[in-house]
Amino acid sequence: MSITNIMIPDILKIRKDFPILDQKVNGKPLIYLDNAATSQRPQQVIDRINEFSLRINGNIHRATHFFANKTTEAYENARETLRSFLNAEETAEIIFTHGATESINLVAHSFGDLFIHRGDEVIVTEMEHHANIVPWQMMCERRGAKLRVLPFGDDGVLQLGLLDELLNEKTRIVAVAHVSNVLGTVNPIAEIISKAHLKNIPVLIDGAQGAPHFKTDVQELDCDFYVFSGHKMYGPTGIGVLYGKRKWLDQMPPFFGGGEMIDRVTMQKTTYNEIPYKFEAGTPHYVGAIGLAAAVDYLNNPELSLINHYENDLLSQATLRLKQIEGLKIYGEAPEKAGVLSFNIEGIHPFDLGTLLDQMGIAVRTGRLCADPVMDHYGVENMVRASFAFYNTAEEIETFYKALIRLKAMF
Ligand code: PMP
């Protein structure tokens, strides 16, 4: 990898699509390195959202007037865009939720209520975000089931050899991150899925950090569920996706009750709608879904076909630079990583580092990164995390590196 010669789509042109980036923070040009928390939205997404606020708004599926029809059409087109993004077999397998967290809760509740009983087991990994631990823990408590954990090594790589021992006749589901939000590890999800499927065990992939970096083909991967959030992949907040195979979704009971998810209601009994509507109670965030589809359209731009390589180059550059800083420890050095670099510098509290970087216009995340078990693994209270998107530049990485050197000298 060469630091100066990054293979580059026309990044300066692309940056113009993100007006928010062209600002000063604390008198310094903004360097936004908190993309794993939330990414920024291109003008194309903002325009699409605005269009639906300025000129068209009608509640979907519920009326025959022009606005309602236009909005319904755009919402269902958005579902088709997301289907195509994931290469799901049918649009009915795409459920709009508020985000990855709600998607996982939906599966934990609905799948759990139907398929998980006393003494059964659920497998998660030690590197999961809280959103892919707590809903399963809550479900295990309700159902009298047991949460089993696949550990990772200090290098941030899952100990896959141990999975064979964990998977047994009591296992009902495996839930694993596509990409760790702390370690950046790209997990071998295809291998995990095929191991689980050998024993007829379904797998949920938490794609919150995967979807922003990779186009995933859920049919090729053969995952049973894939979840992600719009706001981490250049779309709006408050919208996300649950992909599920029809064979599961058809059987699973609804999660929320209310309008739209019903077929017929009497005071004695309610029958439910077909998927996906069975899982979309109430007025959905249709403006969000339309905005998310605009983000997918944006990502489909051929100019962005090289973003994976480009982001990898940024990550390699940042890793190389940070390793030159004495006393800096990087957490997670898996051979396959995406977009995330977590670290601490000896003698500097991560919060001080975050605050001082902010004064230099550099936005990073500090804290426990919603992953207490990862903090416990390394015996640390907090970490600093820099996370990259395709609109970051080699120059920004250099400025970040120099800022860390300056701060190190200050302490
Ligand atoms: N899983 C992972 C790996 C994440 O990084 C996040 C967000 N940090 C989530 C789940 C939850 O996403 P959201 O808060 O958008 O629901």
Side-chain angles (χ1 to χ4, degrees):
M1 205 283 315
S2 116
I3 287 185
T4 48
N5 194 17
I6 281 181
M7 184 169 54
I8 200 166
D10 189 349
I11 207 70
L12 295 180
K13 180 162 160 260
I14 286 168
R15 277 177 75 88
K16 291 210 174 82
D17 291 336
F18 293 83
I20 199 168
L21 297 175
D22 187 23
Q23 289 188 73
K24 290 198 165 162
V25 167
N26 293 322
K28 301 285 183 337
L30 166 68
I31 297 180
Y32 186 76
L33 300 180
D34 195 16
N35 295 286
T38 199
S39 56
Q40 302 304 341
R41 288 182 279 280
Q43 186 69 53
Q44 290 83 338
V45 170
I46 296 165
D47 288 347
R48 192 94 173 99
I49 294 168
N50 282 348
E51 188 188 330
F52 271 83
S53 305
L54 287 168
R55 299 193 312 114
I56 309 160
N57 181 43
N59 205 336
I60 58 163
H61 299 140
R62 285 166 200 216
T64 49
H65 59 78
F66 178 82
F67 276 177
N69 287 337
K70 277 278 177 218
T71 318
T72 303
E73 193 182 299
Y75 183 69
E76 292 305 332
N77 285 344
R79 203 190 301 279
E80 167 53 25
T81 302
L82 271 298
R83 186 210 61 74
S84 163
F85 177 66
L86 292 174
N87 193 32
E89 201 174 331
E90 42 175 328
T91 47
E93 294 176 324
I94 302 295
I95 293 155
F96 285 117
T97 64
H98 291 114
T101 302
E102 185 188 315
S103 300
I104 297 168
N105 275 277
L106 190 162
V107 178
H109 261 267
S110 179
F111 181 94
D113 282 356
L114 188 64
F115 292 113
I116 297 177
H117 302 99
R118 182 159 296 283
D120 286 346
E121 295 181 358
V122 171
I123 299 175
V124 296
T125 84
E126 189 190 5
M127 68 170 74
E128 298 308 311
H129 185 280
H130 294 160
N132 203 24
I133 301 173
V134 184
W136 301 112
Q137 249 170 6
M138 291 163 70
M139 185 274 289
C140 284
E141 269 174 38
R142 279 197 309 276
R143 310 292 299 165
K146 188 170 174 193
L147 195 70
R148 311 281 318 263
V149 181
L150 179 67
F152 64 87
D154 290 347
D155 55 358
V157 177
L158 282 177
Q159 298 186 11
L160 209 56
L162 299 178
L163 184 61
D164 297 316
E165 286 169 37
L166 283 175
L167 289 166
N168 64 44
E169 69 289 349
K170 291 188 236 155
T171 314
R172 292 292 162 262
I173 192 163
V174 177
V176 56
H178 192 165
V179 175
S180 157
N181 67 309
V182 181
L183 308 167
T185 312
V186 181
N187 285 319
I189 50 174
E191 212 178 326
I192 292 173
I193 291 165
S194 57
K195 275 177 189 284
H197 282 185
L198 277 179
K199 298 188 176 166
N200 291 322
I201 298 162
V203 180
L204 176 143
I205 303 298
D206 173 0
Q209 300 293 345
H213 300 290
F214 315 112
K215 213 168 179 312
T216 295
D217 182 329
V218 291
Q219 289 190 72
E220 191 185 309
L221 194 59
D222 201 25
C223 59
D224 298 274
F225 302 99
Y226 193 92
V227 309
F228 58 92
S229 298
H231 69 98
K232 292 184 200 283
M233 51 174 295
Y234 316 102
T237 51
I239 187 76
V241 167
L242 163 64
Y243 158 79
K245 280 184 184 163
R246 177 184 273 280
K247 73 166 179 183
W248 299 118
L249 296 177
D250 268 346
Q251 296 178 73
M252 284 158 51
F255 179 37
F256 291 129
E260 198 56 38
M261 52 72 74
I262 55 97
D263 166 41
R264 181 81 175 89
V265 180
T266 68
M267 285 306 181
Q268 286 71 43
K269 184 168 170 58
T270 294
T271 51
Y272 304 125
N273 207 339
E274 302 276 297
I275 60 168
Y277 311 110
K278 181 171 79 174
F279 293 108
E280 292 183 355
T283 301
H285 184 17
Y286 50 79
V287 179
I290 291 162
L292 175 56
V296 171
D297 288 341
Y298 184 82
L299 288 171
N300 282 337
N301 172 352
E303 224 174 313
L304 290 179
S305 60
L306 294 175
I307 61 170
N308 270 358
H309 300 288
Y310 177 68
E311 286 174 355
N312 281 344
D313 283 351
L314 286 179
L315 180 67
S316 309
Q317 178 194 351
T319 307
L320 208 74
R321 280 310 205 187
L322 264 57
K323 279 187 168 172
Q324 292 166 355
I325 299 174
E326 218 189 300
L328 186 147
K329 177 170 169 50
I330 291 175
Y331 302 99
E333 302 213 58
E336 285 254 19
K337 281 185 69 169
V340 171
L341 198 49
S342 296
F343 62 94
N344 270 318
I345 301 182
E346 210 177 5
I348 314 182
H349 195 286
F351 290 169
D352 290 338
L353 210 50
T355 309
L356 291 165
L357 284 169
D358 181 54
Q359 284 171 15
M360 300 168 160
I362 302 171
V364 292
R365 169 87 196 266
T366 54
R368 300 177 66 74
L369 311 183
C370 294
D372 283 358
V374 181
M375 301 299 125
D376 293 343
H377 180 106
Y378 292 105
V380 298
E381 287 299 318
N382 301 288
M383 291 180 187
V384 183
R385 180 183 70 192
S387 51
F388 311 105
F390 55 77
Y391 44 60
N392 290 124
T393 65
E395 291 71 32
E396 288 182 324
I397 305 288
E398 289 303 293
T399 308
F400 173 51
Y401 162 67
K402 285 180 191 145
L404 290 176
I405 298 274
R406 265 181 67 196
L407 294 175
K408 173 101 174 56
M410 257 174 65
F411 279 80

